Amino acid sequence: MPSVLTDIPSNGAARYPAARTALAYYPDETSEPVLTTWTEFNDASRAMANALCDAGLQPGDRLAMLTANSVAMLVADFGAYANGIVTTSIYATSS
C-alpha cells in the first residue's frame, strides 16, 4: 500500500513490472479501451514531473489545467503531485 498519494505510480510499477494494466481509458462509447501499464504510467508521470520542474514550477505553485478526463490528465496530476504542485482541473465540459 502506498504511504502517500505520490507513491501510487512507482509502487504499481514496482509491484507489477510486466504488462499489467493500470488504467483503461475509453475515448468514446464505441472505441476499444486505451490501456496503460503501471510502468508506462510511472514513466509518463516522472517525465511530466521533470518537465514541470524544467518549466520552473516549484513546490507550492498552482497549476490549472483545461482538460478532459483522460490518461494524460492523470499523468499531469501525478507529475505535479510528485513536485508538490497544487493542481486544479477545469473540465472542457464545464460551463
Side-chain angles (χ1 to χ4, degrees):
M1 169 142 326
S3 56
V4 294
L5 181 67
T6 57
D7 290 342
I8 291 173
S10 60
N11 284 356
R15 185 171 180 186
Y16 306 111
R20 183 152 180 187
T21 300
L23 305 167
Y25 172 67
Y26 293 81
D28 58 56
E29 294 90 28
T30 61
S31 297
E32 291 295 315
V34 176
L35 304 178
T36 303
T37 67
W38 280 105
T39 299
E40 291 168 336
F41 180 42
N42 183 53
D43 291 349
S45 296
R46 291 173 62 103
M48 178 60 73
N50 291 335
L52 293 171
C53 184
D54 290 346
L57 280 85
Q58 299 177 5
D61 284 351
R62 290 157 182 84
L63 175 65
M65 299 181 289
L66 178 61
T67 183
N69 287 332
S70 66
V71 171
M73 180 193 75
L74 287 172
V75 166
D77 275 336
F78 277 91
Y81 300 156
N83 288 346
I85 298 167
V86 179
T87 64
T88 299
S89 295
I90 304 166
Y91 295 97
T93 56
S94 297
S95 56

